[in-house]
Amino acid sequence: FLKGNPQGNIKEEIRNLYAKTGNTFGQKPQILFFLLHQGASPSIYRAIKAACEVDIGCPSQVMLVEKALKSNGQLQYLGNIGLKVNLKLGGSNSKVNLPTFKHSRVMILGGDTSHPSSGELRKMPPPPSYTALVASYDEECSKYSAVSTSQTATVELIENFKPMMKELLKRWQQKNQGLTPNSIIYWRDGISESQIPAFMDSEIKALREVCEESQQKIKITVVNCIKRHHTRFFPGQGERGDKLGNVLPGTIVEASREQDVFLVSQSALQGTVRPCHYTILLDENKLSPDDFQSVTNGLCFSYGRATRSVSIVPPVFYADQVCERSKMHLTTGGPNNDQTFHNDVHKNLIYTMIWRRSVCIFSRSQLYLPSYLLLPFLDAAQNFYFTLPYDLKGRFASQQRPLNLAETKIGLVSDGRKRRTGYFDVVLRT
């Protein structure tokens, strides 16, 4: 046990802790535990996670002293900590025993986008939106790896879907003797009805291209997951419900068709339970209604950080957490301290449900992109197509404009409220 100074250089202290632990035991530590008081500043937590996941490549677990030593609820708290630690060390807390997964190599894919708040959008420039893709890589679909990027604020569709998906498919092959999955089931969070055509033309088109480039026949199923709606269900007269008057977990209500369903997979701790709306947008695997509904409900019981079912399928849950964790890996720098750097997570943590990003830097004056991300967008004339935000009736949107590599500046209309025009340098680096 070492006592740290919360007012000092936390990253440096963690590096020293990691080195001292390795020297004492003659091997690198598998995980580092940190005890904080309940009133500790959130910046301390962010510094701990950034140091462990970016600099030294060691999983970390933060615990609150008050909860760890409190007799009332101590076992439950420590049990939840144990679930997280097992996942971070590469273990599995639950497995999905479904016939759909037994005779086929299946990849479960989840995607989500997290946007800055309305207050953050008033900054100039606004902070980016974060996107994440998570994918299973084991037979039981219980272990996941993830990739995260940042993009233009308020853009819902994942702009760098293709390179992200290539990375996840490569990781799947590394864990499965070079084989590719026979089927991919993609669960996407937060796509509205008006966005579905653009979603199919961008993300799903990119997914098809990655599958075709693998030179294997991979069948794709795409499911849209909607959490924010006003539909609620209650048990009818004489029907059985739970103690709060909600329908029982596992209740499925078919909407317009058998592949458009509302599922109550969780038991509410208080109040009215909210179902999740699942709609199949593409189904090359030809899942029967029973298979689709049983897979959806079964996955909700496989969330690694809980001992009960959750309200939405875990790949979407994990993708949302990846977006939030990505914000902790930001650092500022540059000549005027006006550049925001997105640091890559250490390679040791790729397969322990910790995440690694692809896009490196988003700054106020310059936008730096790694060269390997630009290559997929190059055409024969050495133009690459860059997605820029532009003002459309006071709202943010996106537009693709060709940019020759010889050019150094491109016009950018940003901040739709002020209709202000700025210029961003584009710097290519290897």
Side-chain angles (χ1 to χ4, degrees), residues 55-91:
D55 296 338
I56 63 178
C58 180
S60 62
Q61 180 59 54
V62 177
M63 301 173 62
L64 296 178
V65 176
E66 290 79 4
K67 290 188 177 182
L69 301 181
K70 186 179 179 180
S71 58
N72 185 19
Q74 184 186 51
L75 290 179
Q76 180 66 37
Y77 178 74
L78 296 179
N80 291 337
I81 293 294
L83 292 176
K84 295 180 180 181
V85 170
N86 186 42
L87 293 177
K88 293 174 182 180
L89 294 178

Side-chain angles (χ1 to χ4, degrees), residues 334-396:
N336 301 318
N337 203 35
D338 61 349
Q339 295 178 0
T340 303
F341 296 81
H342 293 173
N343 298 302
D344 279 347
V345 169
H346 200 281
K347 63 181 181 180
N348 293 347
L349 304 179
I350 291 178
Y351 293 108
T352 56
M353 295 184 64
I354 311 293
W355 21 92
R356 184 185 184 191
R357 72 187 69 260
S358 298
V359 173
C360 291
I361 305 174
F362 181 89
S363 96
R364 298 180 184 177
S365 59
Q366 293 181 320
L367 183 65
Y368 294 76
L369 293 175
S371 58
Y372 69 86
L373 274 183
L374 299 180
L375 294 178
F377 305 105
L378 289 174
D379 61 16
Q382 290 299 297
N383 294 321
F384 92 90
Y385 288 83
F386 188 75
T387 303
L388 300 174
Y390 73 101
D391 175 48
L392 180 63
K393 296 182 180 179
R395 297 183 302 177
F396 282 94

Side-chain angles (χ1 to χ4, degrees), residues 219-221 259 280 282-289 291:
K219 298 178 181 179
I220 302 170
T221 295
Q259 294 180 329
I280 290 184
L282 174 67
D283 188 18
E284 296 177 351
N285 291 290
K286 295 184 175 13
L287 296 175
S288 68
D291 287 340

Side-chain angles (χ1 to χ4, degrees), residues 240-260:
R240 183 185 171 192
D242 63 12
K243 60 182 180 181
L244 297 176
N246 293 310
V247 295
L248 295 176
T251 299
I252 292 180
V253 178
E254 296 179 354
S256 58
R257 52 193 175 91
E258 295 172 332
Q259 294 180 329
D260 182 8

Side-chain angles (χ1 to χ4, degrees), residues 298-311:
L299 283 175
C300 292
F301 285 83
S302 66
Y303 181 61
R305 297 188 173 193
T307 56
R308 55 193 297 159
S309 58
V310 291
S311 60

